[in-house]
Amino acid sequence: MSQKVPKDLFVRTPLIESLELRPYCPNKVYLKLENSQPSTSYKMRGVSRLCQQGALEGRDEIISSSGGNAGLATACSARMLGLKCRVFLP
């Protein structure tokens, strides 16, 4: 791979207090908004690291076997890295 591999493909997502749950819980409840990730899922964090490792090893294609969030995260990560991607659906 000729281009530099970025450090992180995922983003720092906000952590907000849930005002809706406040009346029902003695403690504050916080929500981590992982839907703000490029793939709209927390799976982006782990999957992007695997894709980055593949890019650093010189791979030019990423293959995933998922029909859900992991497949979306793989496709999103591969696109950001300029790699080909195949996602096999069950």
Side-chain angles (χ1 to χ4, degrees), residues 26-52:
N27 299 316
K28 291 182 179 181
V29 174
Y30 290 91
L31 305 173
K32 184 73 169 150
L33 301 183
E34 290 298 295
N35 61 324
S36 301
Q37 293 293 351
S39 68
T40 69
S41 167
Y42 75 95
K43 298 274 185 170
M44 185 71 181
R45 293 180 181 273
V47 169
S48 67
R49 291 285 188 203
L50 289 172
C51 292
Q52 285 175 310

Side-chain angles (χ1 to χ4, degrees), residues 9-10 37-52 62 64 66-81 85 87:
L9 300 179
F10 58 86
Q37 293 293 351
S39 68
T40 69
S41 167
Y42 75 95
K43 298 274 185 170
M44 185 71 181
R45 293 180 181 273
V47 169
S48 67
R49 291 285 188 203
L50 289 172
C51 292
Q52 285 175 310
I62 302 294
S64 173
S66 168
N69 290 332
L72 289 170
T74 303
C76 186
S77 298
R79 183 176 200 175
M80 294 170 80
L81 291 165
C85 179
V87 179

Side-chain angles (χ1 to χ4, degrees), residues 50-67:
L50 289 172
C51 292
Q52 285 175 310
Q53 185 62 41
L56 289 170
E57 292 173 358
R59 312 275 187 228
D60 63 353
E61 183 175 19
I62 302 294
I63 298 173
S64 173
S65 59
S66 168

